[in-house]
Amino acid sequence: MNPIMSSIGLLLCSNVFMTFAWYAHLKNMSHKPWIIAALVSWGIALFEYLLQVPANRIGHQVLTVGQLKILQEVITLTVFVPFSVFYLKEEIKLDYLWAALCMLGAVFFVFREKLFA
């Protein structure tokens, strides 16, 4: 399989775990002490790392570290917005669109050598 697509798939899955690790406790564990929420989050984050580390190793075969980082940030926003709207029931804001446009600019600048090679 293409290393870029493998990396994207693994990063997407890892980001779902990390988003839950970072934010799900706000909805599900708000009545628990923060240390309990932190320990549960660490448990969830373990699965994130089991996907994220291979994703970066596979992706680094064909991408620079900067390209991997921007790719991760785009995936983070792609996962976070639906999570915050559908799971945490937060309002969707126009600011997410502006953030996405800024990310597209970052993608362009980091990948432009590959785009125009």
Side-chain angles (χ1 to χ4, degrees), residues 13 36 46 116:
C13 293
I36 301 297
L46 171 64
F116 299 112

Side-chain angles (χ1 to χ4, degrees), residues 13 16 21 36 42 56 60 90 92 111:
C13 293
V16 170
I36 301 297
W42 281 350
N56 283 330
H60 195 251
E90 301 232 340
I92 193 161
F111 285 94

Side-chain angles (χ1 to χ4, degrees), residues 11-75:
L11 287 172
L12 187 63
C13 293
S14 76
N15 208 277
V16 170
F17 279 107
M18 203 60 192
T19 301
F20 271 92
W22 283 6
Y23 301 106
H25 64 86
L26 298 173
K27 179 178 179 180
N28 299 326
M29 303 185 84
S30 60
H31 60 287
K32 302 268 188 195
W34 73 266
I35 191 72
I36 301 297
L39 291 172
V40 170
S41 292
W42 281 350
I44 295 169
L46 171 64
F47 294 103
E48 186 268 344
Y49 282 104
L50 292 174
L51 297 169
Q52 180 266 343
V53 170
N56 283 330
R57 286 183 174 222
I58 292 167
H60 195 251
Q61 295 172 19
V62 293
L63 299 171
T64 67
V65 173
Q67 290 169 332
L68 281 168
K69 182 60 181 169
I70 293 301
L71 187 60
Q72 174 63 35
E73 295 303 329
V74 169
I75 291 169

